[in-house]
Amino acid sequence: GSLLIAAPSATELPVIPTVQSADMKAETFGLNKLMVEIGSGVVSEELKPGLDELMQILPGESSSSSRSAKLRLQKLDPPSPECSGLAEYQCQSYYRLELTPDQITISAISSRGFFYGLMSLRQILAADPNHIPIGVIRDYPLMELRGPSDDISRGQVSTLENFKQIIRFCGMYKMNCLMIYMEDLFELKSFPTIGLNRGRLTPDEIRQLEEWG
């Protein structure tokens, strides 16, 4: 007899954190190239960080069993019926990700929602670009602030590049803050010995991290 494969549920999708809802089919498709189409009202410059992360994970032409598809990013006009009953921060982070062999569509109200949708797609592609599930994912966060706390006052202090890697990692998993706890690790002109030789952060480095985030 034939082998029956069940469609993946929201908890079974390779997406962290678990999406709010997923209406998936058992069929899958392969993908090695995306042709990006940006809809009206979408600011292309704001999509660059998410698109750059996504394109790095594509397998390229070496995967003979895969194929190309269109990636369309289209704006939802607020107030969207899809955000009914959600808090404002949830609406701003909401996205709908539609996966079909010919076109993948991400719909969102803001650049934040587009970024989160792109990161979910990135995780799905990273898991297996040759078996992408067909279906529709709808997602939004349950908490307004999401991120780790890093106590640098009682141990090693990350370098600036390492801090940037941590922020990048947080973004890929839809965290929106990094709470750096410091006591004497901030360079102060009025107190030059505070944090001396302990890896203290300069005001310029703090500004760079703010801009990077």
Side-chain angles (χ1 to χ4, degrees):
S2 59
L3 178 64
L4 296 178
I5 301 176
S9 65
T11 57
E12 293 170 327
L13 287 171
V15 179
I16 300 172
T18 301
V19 299
Q20 295 300 322
S21 71
D23 183 13
M24 313 304 293
K25 298 180 180 180
E27 295 88 353
T28 64
F29 64 96
L31 180 66
N32 65 0
K33 185 178 180 181
L34 284 169
M35 299 169 290
V36 180
E37 180 181 284
I38 298 175
S40 175
V42 180
V43 181
S44 58
E45 291 80 5
E46 296 178 352
L47 301 177
K48 189 178 185 305
L51 286 172
D52 287 348
E53 289 287 353
L54 175 64
M55 295 306 175
Q56 290 177 17
I57 210 69
L58 288 172
E61 302 295 339
S62 60
S63 180
S64 59
S65 61
S66 296
R67 58 193 298 277
S68 64
K70 180 191 295 183
L71 171 61
R72 176 168 175 77
L73 298 112
Q74 62 184 24
K75 190 174 180 64
L76 295 172
D77 293 325
S80 171
E82 297 188 41
C83 288
S84 177
L86 299 182
E88 179 62 22
Y89 79 88
Q90 293 174 317
C91 289
Q92 293 299 314
S93 302
Y94 174 89
Y95 67 89
R96 182 179 71 241
L97 174 58
E98 301 170 78
L99 301 158
T100 68
D102 295 320
Q103 178 169 305
I104 296 172
T105 305
I106 299 176
S107 305
I109 289 176
S110 72
S111 58
R112 190 180 309 165
F114 283 117
F115 181 80
Y116 293 155
L118 289 167
M119 292 305 96
S120 286
L121 178 57
R122 183 190 187 282
Q123 291 184 43
I124 291 171
L125 286 170
D128 189 348
N130 294 314
H131 294 90
I132 301 168
I134 296 174
V136 181
I137 294 169
R138 293 177 175 86
D139 194 25
Y140 54 87
L142 294 180
M143 300 177 67
E144 188 167 4
L145 287 178
R146 309 172 303 280
S149 175
D150 186 2
D151 185 347
I152 63 173
S153 292
R154 294 171 176 82
Q156 293 180 333
V157 181
S158 297
T159 64
L160 190 64
E161 287 306 311
N162 186 236
F163 272 126
K164 290 180 178 180
Q165 291 174 4
I166 294 171
I167 293 171
R168 177 174 173 263
F169 177 87
C170 288
M172 285 194 296
Y173 291 96
K174 309 184 189 79
M175 291 178 271
N176 63 354
C177 66
L178 171 63
M179 295 165 277
I180 303 174
Y181 178 84
M182 60 177 71
E183 293 179 355
D184 63 337
L185 290 172
F186 186 79
E187 184 182 275
L188 298 169
K189 290 183 179 179
S190 302
F191 302 92
T193 59
I194 288 181
L196 187 64
N197 299 323
R198 292 195 60 223
R200 64 186 180 184
L201 299 174
T202 67
D204 182 63
E205 288 173 330
I206 294 293
R207 281 191 291 269
Q208 287 187 55
L209 292 178
E210 284 282 347
E211 293 171 0
W212 180 262

